[in-house]
């Protein structure tokens, strides 16, 4: 199943720079591994915000929840999830 996920990150202002840098690096490593596996299909930054829009390809909403809740930045995120399905007017045969 495909899911459109918006993640808005808000780190505490009093978080030490070194802690924030470490969290961001661990998050980046995990995100890139999930992209390489095909689970995290697309990842786009929203210009001017500490936010992204992503497409995930997982079996179901439970798998998506499990994946998102294990992200290092999860405690600092506001997340919006929208399940996706193929539109009957799409000219593509696949999920490009």
């Amino acid at each position: 199943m495909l899911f459109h996920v918006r993640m808005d990150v808000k780190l505490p202002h009093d978080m030490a720079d070194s802690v924030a840098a470490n969290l961001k690096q661990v998050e980046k490593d995990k995100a890139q591994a999930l992209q390489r596996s095909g689970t995290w299909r697309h990842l786009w930054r929203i210009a001017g915000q500490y936010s992204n829009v992503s497409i995930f390809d997982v079996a179901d909403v439970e798998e998506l929840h499990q994946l998102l809740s294990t992200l290092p930045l999860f405690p600092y995120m506001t997340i919006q999830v929208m399940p996706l399905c193929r539109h009957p007017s799409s000219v593509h045969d696949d999920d490009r």
Side-chain angles (χ1 to χ4, degrees):
M1 254 184 106
L2 296 179
F3 290 90
H4 170 280
V5 179
R6 178 181 171 142
M7 293 176 256
D8 300 302
V9 180
K10 186 170 184 176
L11 296 177
H13 295 292
D14 60 349
M15 180 180 280
D17 290 344
S18 60
V19 173
N22 183 59
L23 271 174
K24 291 174 187 179
Q25 184 61 54
V26 175
E27 179 86 12
K28 179 179 180 179
D29 294 344
K30 180 154 187 159
Q32 289 181 344
L34 289 167
Q35 288 174 75
R36 283 191 282 279
S37 77
T39 302
W40 197 326
R41 283 268 193 101
H42 299 281
L43 173 58
W44 294 279
R45 172 181 288 157
I46 299 174
Q49 299 178 34
Y50 193 0
S51 303
N52 73 72
V53 173
S54 298
I55 303 294
F56 287 87
D57 188 357
V58 293
D60 54 33
V61 70
E62 182 61 35
E63 182 181 352
L64 179 65
H65 176 75
Q66 181 62 30
L67 184 152
L68 294 174
S69 65
T70 62
L71 294 174
L73 290 173
F74 178 77
Y76 310 103
M77 290 181 184
T78 300
I79 299 173
Q80 298 173 347
V81 175
M82 289 184 282
L84 301 173
C85 59
R86 177 154 316 284
H87 194 284
S89 297
S90 175
V91 298
H92 299 289
D93 296 341
D94 57 19
D95 294 325
R96 286 187 274 164

